[in-house]
Amino acid sequence: MAALDEPLKKILGGTTAKVLAEHLDLHTVGDLLHHYPRRYAERGELTRLSDLPLDEHVTVVARVADSRVLKFNGGRGQRLEVTLTDGSGRLRLVFFGKGIHKPHKDLLPGRRAMFAGKVSVFNRTLQLAHPDYELLDGDAEGGTDAVSAFAGQLLPIYPACQQMASWKISKAVDAVLPSARDAVDPLPEALRDGRELVPLTEALLKIHRPASKADIAAARDRLKWDEAYVLQVALARRRLAETQLPAVARRPAAGGILDAFDAKLPFTLTDGQQKVSREIFDDLATEHPMHRLLQGEVGSGKAQPLDALVLTPRGFLPMGEMRVGTEVVVPSGELAVVDGVFPQGEREVWRLVLSDGSAVECDDEHLWIVRSCDAQERVLTTRELRRDLNDPDGRPRWSIAAAVPVDLDDGGDRPLDPYLLGRKLAEDGGPAARVPDAYRNAPRKDRLAVLRGLLDAGSGPAGATAVFRAAHRPLADDLAWLVRSLGGRARLSAVGEGAYDVDVALPQEGGAGFGRTIRAIEHAGRKPVQCISVRHPGHAYVTDHFTVTHNTMVALRAMLGVVDSGGQAAMLAPTEVLAQQHHRSITEMMGELAEGGMLGGAEQGTKVVLLTGSMGAAARRQALLDLVTGEAGIVVGTHALIEDKVQFHDLGLVVVDEQHRFGVEQRDALRGKGHSQREKQTPHLLVMTATPIPRTVAMTVFGDLETSVLDQLPAGRSPIATHVVPAKDKPHFLARAWERVREEVTAGHQGYVVCPRIGDEEDAPKGAKKPAGSKGAADQAGSAEDAEEKRPPLAVLDIAGQLAEGPLAGLRVAVLHGRMAPDDKDEVMRRFAAGELDVLVATTVIEVGVNVPNATAMVIMDADRFGVSQLHQLRGRVGRGAAPGLCLLVSEMPEAGPARARLAAVAATLDGFELSRIDLEQRREGDVLGQAQSGVRSSLRMLAVIEDEEVIAAAREEATALVTADPELTGYPELRIALSALLDEDREQYLDKG
């Protein structure tokens, strides 16, 4: 009998062992014993040939109906075709060339066998090409064992590979199964008895060779507990070890760098940020190392895209060109300097459409100075405006005041009299005519003179109101710009191809400028953004409106607090690009506070250095020197921070960004550097992830960390009801779906219909012939051979016509997709937003293209073709106003299939954390619990992190109690052996140090 650590080569032979090692990562007897069946076939279960999935590797049991050899290529080639049957369907096997001889001899009519291969379609017939097979009657050599297994009612189906079919793995398991009696049982006897779990040996025998379904259930219950308990013991030991390690309490000093940084911020932190900051600073104040996970979005927003414009004394400059010290115009007309620049990476951006047709973009947290009909001035976020945009009668509720007109001067030459220039442009201007920048960015009187010249020549005598007739778009835009710069109101109206009338209204001399109402707020997509703070009591600047911006970072405040206490902080980023972004963001946010020891640096400041592998030798030497001397309080870097030559003066805090990109060993290597200047003083640890993490994953992947959640999900949204519509099983449900859309339109609302594909005009890949009925680029589900067999995804152009002539006849239906010309697309979006259309039939372009609070219904066709996150983002287009939203997920997939189960799960929740759980269910925990992440040699085999929350929670409780009572596990030698098998050697050594 082989020991569990015996190499498989000694038991199974070199060839089989090599395949198991290379393709299934199975090396020892123990590995193979823990390679559990993924399912079990009952007698007759595998013979359902009518249900075979395309393009998947399958194992079937069937009887040979007929067999024949066919010639092709003028007799030079031959193939063997074997037809299988089981009463429910037929399946063709095909073998070619010299490979036909053995199956021709074995697969005679009437013979029964197991077959394994990939299902494909040829000439509308299901087939397996060159499948592996195993005869199931006593005439074949070795067939007796297979017959016995089949007769045992439950046939184990193992995770297999092309090189080794399930039944071959089953034979290999038979060879090592006696060794299961030597398995060391890691669960304490009291726990086994208390939870009524079978012994490990019995569980291994039952999982591989069950006599009943009860055997399988008992074995699975036991093996799940093994994996959950051993892992939770490891994590509990690590948590206990952390509490025993000494650390320096890090308390921010009054009047230090943290207070100076906070003073730069024009507003206080959000409630969520304040709560998380308290948790972090409470941990930092203890004499044991903080070990905390911060999950959720860590920035607070109030940002604009980098191409948004900010008014300076010389004219508008892009937000991306703002620097500390740049002079900007504030709404009162005064000048102030930018004293903080806060890059925010990419964020979702919204577009405010104002009553004169102008628009401005910002993020959801951006602040606006607005007035309502009661003339009361308020400061509201974009999100607050979105949820309360209109009065009950549908009229816009909020207006934005105009900025006080100011003198500008970009220093350019103005050789012509401004009034004459205006007249000349109006009289002679062609399609490319523009107001030169020197006249746009000019003193108020010059801008007014240009405008007067334009209006006098283009509209007759200009009074307080006027209409400039038929200007080409560039000149019309410039004219409107001049009007708005003077506190006026200008609206463009298309009057012909490329021509626009401009309605102009100017305020009385010395009077207040005109406000503009907010007509709509549209989703503009995801863009790089930043925000600025302005050194002025109003903390506002001029773009096309009043706005106030600020931002902070919870992690940065923690680092500054540690610097205040005399320590250093290190941020570990997974890539050089991300490290450089963090370094740039931190230095710009801190301003002069990041220039400690330098000329012009703040008194409370410190140095912020970057350390990456690609740095030049001189810069690297200087960074290392700044760290070891303590000159640099903050360092941002990649894996280069972990190298032995990197030493710190007093490392007090390690911040790990994007934790899933690092292993525990890497973060521990950096934390180990805290010992360099202070004997056995472990730095505090803050791990950051922007991804919502389900509770069960937090208990496993991050089970050695305390968790803080910075929850900034959109507030004030109307509820969205989501339902699955089984179009194939219950066609009347689909008919009812269209009735619901009509009902919403009748009630004064609008709806979307989303399809996965545009339509017939999609191009096939270059060099490929597009067969009739082919699926197009959007569908990756099948091979070219089965293109005719599987229905292509539903297309916008097809569905729109069917709806307009059928269930939605009489409604105003339009299409929207990515192949439309930009102007056409903009026009459709404008008409839909204005309420001129009832139903928009679109592709996923609406994810980033349209936001209409009046839209309340969405029907997603072929919803099973979309991912979880896409479905969630799509349905977020409805329920944005006061009325509740309705999202219908239409699918023709069978009710028992995984696709329908996924849709049902999406329909059950709107919560981002729950949806991340569903997404992980699809990807399985093998993607989550890899070696680099958890220290575990291989992924969990039996425990499903998502499904087994009760087991994980109970195991965590039991493990914590046991480790508290016996940290060294001296009374549980079997458990220590299991830990050694589960954990990497280095990780086990780390745990032993505790």
Side-chain angles (χ1 to χ4, degrees), residues 649-662:
H649 175 71
D650 181 11
L651 181 58
L653 172 66
V654 172
V655 179
V656 181
D657 187 32
E658 300 291 347
Q659 160 66 19
H660 62 279
R661 305 281 290 275
F662 294 101

Side-chain angles (χ1 to χ4, degrees), residues 19 27 71 108 139 174 264 358 642 657 691 904 912:
V19 173
H27 305 274
K71 303 285 188 179
L108 303 175
D139 297 338
D174 284 337
K264 289 166 59 70
S358 61
I642 302 172
D657 187 32
T691 306

Side-chain angles (χ1 to χ4, degrees), residues 356 402 448 451-452 455 462-468 479-480 482-491 502-508 512-516:
D356 64 352
L448 181 61
L451 180 61
R452 292 292 185 198
L455 293 176
T465 61
V467 179
F468 188 96
L479 192 154
L482 289 170
V483 172
R484 292 167 189 151
S485 79
L486 297 167
R489 184 167 50 229
R491 171 179 285 279
V502 185
D503 292 270
V504 173
L506 290 172
Q508 292 181 350
F514 295 125
R516 287 162 288 169

Side-chain angles (χ1 to χ4, degrees), residues 591-614:
E592 71 277 7
L593 295 174
E595 300 171 357
M598 292 183 276
L599 192 61
E603 182 181 346
Q604 309 100 320
T606 187
K607 257 192 180 182
V608 180
V609 300
L610 177 69
L611 188 62
T612 66
S614 66

Side-chain angles (χ1 to χ4, degrees), residues 352-375:
L352 270 67
V353 180
L354 305 180
S355 53
D356 64 352
S358 61
V360 62
E361 295 183 349
C362 58
D363 76 348
D364 220 10
E365 295 296 319
H366 207 75
L367 290 170
W368 304 88
I369 301 173
V370 295
R371 285 188 176 91
S372 60
C373 56
D374 60 9

Side-chain angles (χ1 to χ4, degrees), residues 386-456:
R386 284 197 295 113
R387 76 182 186 210
D388 192 24
L389 191 58
N390 298 313
D391 286 328
D393 60 5
R395 290 184 299 177
R397 172 169 292 177
W398 307 105
S399 65
I400 295 178
V404 172
V406 295
D407 290 331
L408 305 173
D409 192 351
D410 68 357
D413 292 334
R414 292 188 284 273
L416 271 181
D417 178 84
Y419 178 80
L420 294 178
L421 172 78
R423 291 195 66 94
K424 181 177 175 59
L425 287 171
E427 293 166 355
D428 307 332
R434 301 294 305 262
V435 176
D437 285 346
Y439 291 86
R440 283 166 44 108
N441 301 323
R444 284 170 292 174
K445 64 179 181 62
D446 289 347
R447 298 200 305 274
L448 181 61
V450 175
L451 180 61
R452 292 292 185 198
L454 281 164
L455 293 176
D456 285 351

